[in-house]
């Protein structure tokens, strides 16, 4: 990975549209358990002027997009960071930073088993819904529709654009890699800020992102730093493939080009890695039986709009979905208070709720007092697509690690790295 990004030297200053940026003496790597807990470190870097206040690019390696929105949180909460941090969870912590104006480009790099958002570029707006004062988006992917998050642009104020790039990362066959034998020429790398021509010295983390497979288990929740020499950085036009690469790495080289093009549009970038990118479990599949999980899928099934739905059709879809989820939430809240047969039959008589009886009876055969709040949370993940569940083999993990090594070797140096394990 190049050290030629803005502010690689501790005493240097990088210029951006937001003014001068400070530089870290070493590349910070922050490691957390719950993914939303990386956001305070990003905000701290903005506050200390190591990151610009706007036009940040965010490269996100994860089996989950994490691009939902706290459904009922007032949009203005994003401007009170402590209140914001207390509202976030693992699936909804990125979009508030977009609405706050900090992040403009998100690159979601996902493994083959994670297909929640369709491939390609998605450009849409996030803003404050004038009718509810909550955050909503103009994005029409099922990922947003199934959570009831879509509204038309004319219903949003304080609009912020987001360019989302969804890119598949396939494993690379390690046996075909010439890189391990030192045969890969040092790739020409993008320089994020071409105005910064000063000679600089880099400090890179002792847990370099390309070496996560070796070092992460021993990392503690603190900033890890070490020094190394800075590689030369080149402009985007030189961010091209090396002819000495094995054929299995060619798709990754194409990904490098795509990512570099996105990064050039921003003033700085954050590299974010969730270790479930390499192997992931759906925790609810271990909490519930196969029959119970299928019943949840029936109850929470999302009725997709027509392929070429009009704005009116999309609004109808969202309205129906919101009512469905509100009814399910109310039903399980009622069951928390009293799950006797009368309460159960009352809710089961509602449209689409017939499966509730069999589900509750099954749960009560296994536990005297089911956690109905958790059942509802599990149901919310059973809409148009299950949560990713893929326990990788060692070979698959090694192949993904090899792909990420090739990717990071050719990318410019980020301002900071965040890791969720």
């Amino acid at each position: 990975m190049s050290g030629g990004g803005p502010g690689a030297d501790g005493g240097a200053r990088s210029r951006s549209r937001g003014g001068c940026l400070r530089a870290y003496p070493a590349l910070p790597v922050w490691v957390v358990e719950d993914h939303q807990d990386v956001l305070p470190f990003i905000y701290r870097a903005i506050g200390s002027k190591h990151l610009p206040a706007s036009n940040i690019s965010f490269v996100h390696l994860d089996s989950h997009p994490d691009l939902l929105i706290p459904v009922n949180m007032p949009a203005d909460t994003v401007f009170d960071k402590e209140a914001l941090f207390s509202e976030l969870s693992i699936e909804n912590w990125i979009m508030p930073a977009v609405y706050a104006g900090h992040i403009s480009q998100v690159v979601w790099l996902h493994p083959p088993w994670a297909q929640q958002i369709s491939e390609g570029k998605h450009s849409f707006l996030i803003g404050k819904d004038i009718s509810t004062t909550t955050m909503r988006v103009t994005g029409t992917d099922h990922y947003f529709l199934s959570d009831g998050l879509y509204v038309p642009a004319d219903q949003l104020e304080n609009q912020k654009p987001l360019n989302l790039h969804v890119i598949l990362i396939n494993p690379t066959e390690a046996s075909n890699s010439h890189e391990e034998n030192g045969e890969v020429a040092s790739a020409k790398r993008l320089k994020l800020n071409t105005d910064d021509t000063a000679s600089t010295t880099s400090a890179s983390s002792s847990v370099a992102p390309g070496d996560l497979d070796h070092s992460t288990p021993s990392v503690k929740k603190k900033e890890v730093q070490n020094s190394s020499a800075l590689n030369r950085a080149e402009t985007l036009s030189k961010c091209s493939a090396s002819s000495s690469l094995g054929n299995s790495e060619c798709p990754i080289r194409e990904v490098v080009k795509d990512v570099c093009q996105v990064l050039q549009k921003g003033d700085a970038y954050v590299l974010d890695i969730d270790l479930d990118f390499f192997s992931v479990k759906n925790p609810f599949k271990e909490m519930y039986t196969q029959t119970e999980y299928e019943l949840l899928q029936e109850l929470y099934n999302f009725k997709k709009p027509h392929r070429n739905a009009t704005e009116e059709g999309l609004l109808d879809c969202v309205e129906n979905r919101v009512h469905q989820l509100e009814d399910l939430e109310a039903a399980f809240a009622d069951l928390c208070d009293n799950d006797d047969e009368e309460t159960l039959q009352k809710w089961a008589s509602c449209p689409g709720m017939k499966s509730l009886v069999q589900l509750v009876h099954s749960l009560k055969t296994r536990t005297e007092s089911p956690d109905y709040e958790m059942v509802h949370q599990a149901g919310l993940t059973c809409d148009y697509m299950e949560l990713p569940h893929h326990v990788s083999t060692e070979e698959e993990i090694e192949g993904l690690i090899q792909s990420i090594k090739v990717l990071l070797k050719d990318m410019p140096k980020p301002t900071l790295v965040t890791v969720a394990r």
Side-chain angles (χ1 to χ4, degrees):
M1 182 183 296
S2 165
D9 180 64
R13 293 292 182 269
S14 308
R15 291 184 296 280
S16 75
R17 287 171 234 168
C20 290
L21 291 177
R22 299 173 61 196
Y24 288 113
L27 175 64
V29 176
W30 296 102
V31 180
V32 302
E33 299 298 330
D34 296 324
H35 210 157
Q36 74 271 18
D37 291 338
V38 306
L39 195 59
F41 296 111
I42 295 169
Y43 271 50
R44 184 184 299 174
I46 294 171
S48 63
K49 298 190 184 304
H50 290 92
L51 281 173
S54 62
N55 202 29
I56 297 171
S57 298
F58 194 73
V59 179
H60 179 60
L61 287 87
D62 200 328
S63 281
H64 309 92
D66 298 349
L67 292 169
L68 294 176
I69 292 170
V71 175
N72 299 314
M73 186 184 80
D76 289 347
T77 305
V78 304
F79 303 115
D80 180 345
K81 65 179 181 180
E82 295 307 323
L84 171 64
F85 297 157
S86 70
E87 293 279 346
L88 300 179
S89 49
I90 56 174
E91 78 281 0
N92 61 24
W93 56 277
I94 298 174
M95 293 298 274
V98 177
Y99 177 67
H102 303 312
I103 294 174
S104 298
Q105 291 83 224
V106 172
V107 181
W108 179 38
L109 302 176
H110 65 95
W113 51 81
Q115 301 288 337
Q116 298 93 313
I117 302 178
S118 55
E119 293 291 305
K121 181 179 177 181
H122 305 255
S123 296
F124 55 91
L125 302 171
I126 182 172
K128 181 198 286 189
D129 186 337
I130 56 178
S131 63
T132 65
T133 73
T134 56
M135 285 182 290
R136 291 294 184 265
V137 298
T138 60
T140 58
D141 196 274
H142 293 154
Y143 181 79
F144 301 112
L145 294 175
S146 65
D147 242 43
L149 299 177
Y150 165 81
V151 299
D154 60 10
Q155 200 171 318
L156 292 177
E157 60 183 13
N158 193 26
Q159 299 174 354
K160 301 291 169 53
L162 175 64
N163 291 315
L164 168 63
H165 302 260
V166 180
I167 302 175
L168 171 66
I169 302 290
N170 280 307
T172 297
E173 293 181 29
S175 60
N176 289 346
S177 173
H178 298 274
E179 182 182 24
E180 299 298 327
N181 299 322
E183 295 177 21
V184 176
S186 178
K188 309 280 184 167
R189 300 173 181 95
L190 165 68
K191 186 174 182 182
L192 276 177
N193 192 323
T194 54
D195 290 335
D196 181 17
T197 56
S199 295
T200 56
T201 303
S202 169
S204 66
S205 165
S206 60
V207 186
D211 293 326
L212 279 172
D213 55 314
H214 302 301
S215 308
T216 297
S218 63
V219 176
K220 296 185 179 178
K221 190 175 178 180
K222 65 179 181 178
E223 188 174 358
V224 187
Q225 298 177 335
N226 195 9
S227 296
S228 68
L230 172 67
N231 291 322
R232 288 183 306 160
E234 302 290 341
T235 58
L236 178 63
S237 61
K238 296 183 180 179
C239 188
S240 57
S242 168
S243 59
S244 62
L245 281 171
N247 290 335
S248 64
E249 293 178 359
C250 290
I252 294 300
R253 192 66 66 192
E254 292 304 311
V255 169
V256 171
K257 286 196 228 177
D258 291 342
V259 174
C260 285
Q261 287 175 354
V262 176
L263 296 183
Q264 194 178 37
K265 298 174 183 176
D267 293 327
Y269 90 97
V270 174
L271 175 63
D272 175 71
I273 303 170
D274 192 321
L275 296 190
D276 75 13
F277 173 88
F278 300 99
S279 183
V280 64
K281 285 185 176 182
N282 177 349
F284 298 119
K285 284 200 164 185
E286 298 183 342
M287 295 173 64
Y288 303 107
T289 66
Q290 180 64 30
T291 298
E292 289 165 354
Y293 197 78
E294 289 171 359
L295 291 168
L296 281 171
Q297 289 175 316
E298 286 182 31
L299 284 167
Y300 287 83
N301 180 55
F302 169 59
K303 187 176 180 181
K304 300 175 183 178
H306 294 299
R307 189 174 189 86
N308 298 312
T310 62
E311 180 180 301
E312 183 180 1
L314 292 171
L315 286 171
D316 286 344
C317 168
V318 167
E319 183 179 5
N320 292 335
R321 181 61 171 172
V322 169
H323 287 156
Q324 177 191 9
L325 296 180
E326 287 176 346
D327 287 347
L328 285 162
E329 182 178 18
F332 283 109
D334 231 4
L335 291 170
C336 284
D337 294 333
N338 185 354
D339 64 352
D340 63 13
E341 198 64 22
E342 181 181 352
T343 304
L344 181 57
Q345 292 297 337
K346 178 189 76 173
W347 281 106
S349 65
C350 296
M353 293 271 208
K354 185 178 178 181
S355 304
L356 194 61
V357 174
Q358 187 182 349
L359 174 63
V360 171
H361 286 170
S362 178
L363 291 169
K364 291 179 78 170
T365 62
R366 296 193 300 110
T367 177
E368 186 177 348
S369 300
D371 184 345
Y372 292 113
E373 186 176 342
M374 183 62 72
V375 175
H376 177 57
Q377 293 303 315
L380 291 173
T381 71
C382 299
D383 37 41
Y384 68 101
M385 183 177 291
E386 295 180 14
L387 286 177
H389 185 88
H390 183 89
V391 180
S392 301
T393 64
E394 283 191 29
E395 184 179 8
E396 287 174 321
I397 292 173
E398 286 298 326
L400 285 171
I401 289 171
Q402 183 58 38
S403 293
I404 299 308
K405 282 183 175 180
V406 174
L407 176 71
L408 297 184
K409 183 178 179 63
D410 293 354
M411 282 172 58
K413 180 171 175 267
T415 299
L416 72 155
V417 178
T418 53
V419 179
R421 59 180 187 183

